[in-house]
Amino acid sequence: MERTENTARGELLASLPAFAGFYPRESLLVLGAVPTHDGTFTLASLARLDIDEIANKPGQTTSDLVHLFRGATAPAVFVVVASHRNEETADLPLVSEVDVLVTALRSAGFATIEAIHVPEFAKGARWSTYGDSDLHGTLPDPATTDFALALTYLGHQIHSDRDALIAQFDPAPQSQRAPLEPLVRSVVQAVRDETATNNLAALRSRLDELESALTTPNSTSAPLSDQQIANLIGAFASIVIADAVVSFAENEEADLPNMLLKLLRLAPQPQAAAIAGVLAAVSYLRGEGVWAGLAASAVKPPTNLSLGISQAMGLGMPHDFVSTALLRGAGEALQILRPPAS
């Protein structure tokens, strides 16, 4: 017997590829979700590991995930095993490992925890719940969920796999980057001069230009001249500006990660590293753990921001604790450039 909440869970599961940016395969996903008044769920955070992590190192994987989600504000946690394991027997895979993880999460204070298996993220794929044979269903088309359609409207795509998503962090073709390099160098020198002379008015103007470009709806599809792109990239030569941009993560309507990725792919070093650090921080604040991890490791050498995100995720530091520290630093940088009226 299927229960009425099956539809909500099916929609939640089908939204995961859009939230992650790709179709996870042979993966363990742990997501924080917020129940809504109509019985559906809003995704708040997502962590993904290769399925072999929990299969081969269940104790360490459980400890890492519990640390990562401890202190999270999302009241519901879903553990999703996306795997074709045990397909020939129809038995749920990794039952004992999943039970250990669920027990540990419950001990950490999460009252609502569900573990779900789905062989793949595809229309009609059957999902089943660990420990409750009555709670099961089939996935709607992941490409037509509300979240996926919203991304499509903004001009984005859900990549076929993680490798395809990683490729999005590769530098743009040299033919696109070469014309920008002398323009960026000129802007970077101007920003350094403004910083050295404490020209806050000029730096504030650059932050305003960045905010307009990064937070305007459909900003990734808006045409920009080479000089406008160079102005945006060069502004990241200011550490204060880079830190202040992190505060824009609180603008939930802005397509901030994708616009930062666009600049990252076009930027020369060391501005590319600075933008990658901001992208990692913004993604982390928005609960997009996959993007945060990729951005933090996208460009070497790491910046303080990207190194901090990598360490926080690697050590499983509480998300709320790290987020508070990030937003405090961003707020302090913002006050330097936009001091409150006296």
Side-chain angles (χ1 to χ4, degrees), residues 150-191:
L151 288 180
T152 301
Y153 174 77
L154 292 171
H156 309 313
Q157 66 180 102
I158 308 172
H159 299 283
S160 58
D161 54 34
R162 189 169 183 268
D163 288 343
L165 175 60
I166 292 173
Q168 300 305 301
F169 287 78
D170 292 341
Q174 180 63 20
S175 59
Q176 296 179 28
R177 291 184 289 125
L180 293 170
E181 290 178 1
L183 299 175
V184 171
R185 281 198 298 271
S186 177
V187 174
V188 167
Q189 186 57 56
V191 170

Side-chain angles (χ1 to χ4, degrees), residues 64-311:
D64 290 346
L65 288 169
V66 169
H67 279 295
L68 181 62
F69 277 82
R70 181 175 286 129
T73 55
V77 174
F78 289 83
V79 175
V80 180
V81 176
S83 175
H84 284 282
R85 291 185 179 213
N86 294 0
E87 204 166 38
E88 65 283 354
T89 64
D91 295 329
L92 292 175
L94 303 170
V95 172
S96 61
E97 291 85 352
V98 168
D99 183 63
V100 169
L101 175 56
V102 169
T103 300
L105 287 168
R106 187 168 288 115
S107 297
F110 292 99
T112 303
I113 306 171
E114 290 185 18
I116 300 173
H117 169 256
V118 62
E120 61 185 344
F121 292 97
K123 181 180 180 180
R126 180 181 173 83
W127 59 267
S128 305
T129 305
Y130 289 77
D132 188 346
S133 59
D134 286 342
L135 192 53
H136 56 82
T138 56
L139 289 190
D141 188 349
T144 60
T145 63
D146 290 345
F147 195 65
L149 291 175
L151 288 180
T152 301
Y153 174 77
L154 292 171
H156 309 313
Q157 66 180 102
I158 308 172
H159 299 283
S160 58
D161 54 34
R162 189 169 183 268
D163 288 343
L165 175 60
I166 292 173
Q168 300 305 301
F169 287 78
D170 292 341
Q174 180 63 20
S175 59
Q176 296 179 28
R177 291 184 289 125
L180 293 170
E181 290 178 1
L183 299 175
V184 171
R185 281 198 298 271
S186 177
V187 174
V188 167
Q189 186 57 56
V191 170
R192 288 172 176 166
D193 292 343
E194 292 159 6
T195 301
T197 58
N198 200 31
N199 188 343
L200 294 181
L203 295 173
R204 185 182 308 118
S205 178
R206 295 188 185 278
L207 179 65
D208 292 344
E209 185 178 6
L210 267 171
E211 183 173 26
S212 176
L214 294 174
T215 64
T216 300
N218 299 321
S219 56
T220 50
S221 59
L224 295 173
S225 69
D226 283 357
Q227 186 60 62
Q228 287 174 311
I229 294 172
N231 289 343
L232 299 177
I233 292 172
F236 286 89
S238 164
I239 296 175
V240 176
I241 288 178
D243 286 348
V245 170
V246 174
S247 68
F248 301 161
E250 295 187 295
N251 183 342
E252 296 181 357
E253 301 299 319
D255 188 23
L256 193 54
N258 280 290
M259 188 59 191
L260 287 168
L261 178 60
K262 179 179 179 180
L263 296 179
L264 168 62
R265 298 186 67 233
L266 292 168
Q269 287 287 28
Q271 283 67 54
I275 296 170
V278 173
L279 175 55
V282 166
S283 300
Y284 185 89
L285 286 168
R286 291 188 168 196
E288 299 167 0
V290 175
W291 272 67
L294 292 174
S297 59
V299 180
K300 300 293 188 289
T303 63
N304 288 340
L305 270 177
S306 60
L307 185 60
I309 296 300
S310 293
Q311 290 178 339

